Amino acid sequence: MFTTTYWRWSAGVQLARLPSAMAPLAFTAVAAAVTGSYRLGGVLMAVYVVAEMAGAVPVGRLLDRVGTVRGLRTLLLVVAVGLAVVAMAAEARANEATLIALVVLPGLAGGGVAGGFRALLAAIVDERQLTRAVAVDAMILDGVLVAGPVLVAVASVSGPFVPLFAMAGAAAVAACLVPSRVTKPRLKARSKVPLKACLPWLGCQFTVGLLLSTIEVAPLPLVERLNAPAAAAPGVVALLCGASIAGSAIYAWRGRDRGPRLFLAGFVIGGTLVTADLGWAGLIAGVVLIGGATGPLVTIASVNMQRLLPEDRRSEGFSVSFTVQSCGFGLGSLAVGVLPLWLAPLLGVAAAISIGWSRRPFPRGARRCDADGSVGRLLALRQQPRSLNHNAEEQGRRR
C-alpha cells in the first residue's frame, strides 16, 4: 500500500516516540534507585513534559527554517546524548537538582520532533493516501504506548538505569532512519499560519487529550467504584488501547475522509456512559466508544491541518497541534486529581459538544494555503474568461 520510504519514516517516528512512552516508568525507576523514593520521578517527568511543550513551537519553527531532515537528525542526536547524560549522572548518584536540570535539554530538543516527522509525511505520501497513512500511524502509535512501559520493565531487570540508555539508543536509531529523499520547499516569502481556520481542528486535538487522559489516568478509581480489585485497572487501559487500534484500523481500511462530528458524538456518548456509573456494561461501552473514536478523530484533524498549513510552516503548525493535545491531556489529568470522579469526564464531553456543535460548522473541505498567493491568481485567471466573454456580449449588443 505504501512505499519503502513510508515504512522507514514509520519506523523512525515510532522509535522517536518511544522515549516519551518509556519516560514515566523509567524516571520512576531512576528516582527509586537514587533517592529511595518515587517522588523525584514525578518531578523529572513533569519537567520533561513542560520542557517538551515549551520547546515545541520554537523548535518546529527552527525545523522549517533549516530543513526538516537535517533538523530532525540533529535534534534526535541531541535527545540521545541528553538522555545518556541523565543516565550517567543518575548512575553516579548526582543530586536531585542536577538531574532535574539535565532533563531539560532532551525535553526541549524533543519538543518539535513529532511535528517535524508529521511534516515529513506530507512529502512522502501521496495526498490520496494521506488519510489512510495517518490512520495506520495512529494505530501503530497505540502499540508504542503499550510497549513503552513493558520495555522499561524488561530493561529494569538489568539495572534501574538501563531504561534511560535504551531511550537514548531509540532516539539515536531514529535519527538514522529519517528519510533523506525529501526536498525543502523553496518559497520567496515566509507564509502565515491560518490560525483561525485551524482552530476547529486544534479543538479536536485538545478534546482528544482532555477526555482520553481522564480514562488513562483514572482506571483505578473507575474499577474501585464498581467494587472490583485493583488488578482490573490495567484491563481498562488495555480495552481503551485495543478499541483505539481497532478504530484506526477500520478507518484506515475504509480510507475515506469523513467529518469529525460522528466521532465527537462517540466522545459525548462514551464520556457520558463513564460518568453515569452504569456498572461494568456502562464502563466497557463508554471506554470502547472513546477509544474507537480517538484514532479517526486524530486522523481527520491531522489531515485537515495539513491542507491548511503552508509548506514552509508545517513543522511549526504540527508542533502547535501536538502541544494543544498535550495541554488537553495535562488538564484532564489535573481534573482527575482535583474534581469528583463523575465530573472529570464531563469536561471532555463539554469540549466535544462545544467543538462539534458550535455556531460555525466544520468546513466541508479545507483549502490548502499557498505562500505566494498562487491560489488567488488562479481564481482570478478562472474568472477572467467570463469577464472577457461578458464584455464581448455587451459590445455585440451595442452594435
Side-chain angles (χ1 to χ4, degrees), residues 32-207:
V34 173
T35 65
S37 172
Y38 297 102
R39 182 177 60 86
L40 177 61
V43 176
L44 290 174
M45 187 62 202
V47 173
Y48 186 77
V49 171
V50 170
E52 280 187 328
M53 293 174 61
V57 175
V59 171
R61 188 174 299 170
L62 180 63
L63 286 177
D64 287 324
R65 291 184 178 275
V66 304
T68 309
V69 172
R70 183 175 63 179
L72 273 178
R73 289 174 177 171
T74 304
L75 287 176
L76 287 168
L77 291 177
V78 171
V79 171
V81 173
L83 291 173
V85 170
V86 173
M88 290 186 289
E91 196 171 13
R93 297 299 192 274
N95 56 46
E96 295 184 11
T98 301
L99 293 176
I100 293 172
L102 291 176
V103 165
V104 174
L105 178 61
L108 285 173
V113 169
F117 267 106
R118 179 59 185 85
L120 279 184
L121 184 62
I124 293 172
V125 176
D126 186 81
E127 189 172 356
R128 293 173 297 178
Q129 292 187 336
L130 180 62
T131 299
R132 186 168 294 167
V134 177
V136 169
D137 179 60
M139 179 175 59
I140 300 175
L141 171 59
D142 288 314
V144 172
L145 296 178
V146 174
V150 175
L151 290 176
V152 173
V154 173
S156 297
V157 175
S158 302
F161 310 108
V162 174
L164 283 178
F165 286 110
M167 291 162 61
V173 176
C176 300
L177 290 175
V178 176
S180 56
R181 296 181 180 181
V182 179
T183 58
K184 180 181 178 181
R186 297 179 180 179
L187 301 173
K188 298 179 180 179
R190 189 163 174 80
S191 312
K192 293 183 179 180
V193 175
L195 185 59
K196 186 176 181 180
C198 292
L199 283 179
W201 312 116
L202 293 175
C204 289
Q205 297 281 20
F206 177 81
T207 303

Side-chain angles (χ1 to χ4, degrees), residues 49 53 142 145 204-222 233 236-237 240-241 244 267 270-271 274-275 283 286-287 290-291 294 297-298 322-341 343-349 351:
V49 171
M53 293 174 61
D142 288 314
L145 296 178
C204 289
Q205 297 281 20
F206 177 81
T207 303
V208 168
L210 182 62
L211 187 55
L212 206 61
S213 61
T214 59
I215 308 300
E216 292 185 350
V217 175
L220 183 58
L222 285 174
V236 175
V237 179
L240 181 69
C241 293
S244 180
F267 269 31
V274 173
T275 298
L283 178 61
V287 169
I290 294 171
T294 296
L297 188 57
V298 169
F322 293 127
T323 302
V324 168
Q325 186 176 353
S326 299
C327 290
F329 195 96
L331 184 59
S333 303
L334 179 63
V336 172
V338 300
L339 296 177
L341 183 60
L343 184 57
L346 290 182
L347 293 180
V349 171

Side-chain angles (χ1 to χ4, degrees), residues 8 27 31 152 245 278 288 328 337 389:
R8 176 173 177 172
F27 286 146
V152 173
I245 293 173
L278 300 176
V288 169
N389 292 336

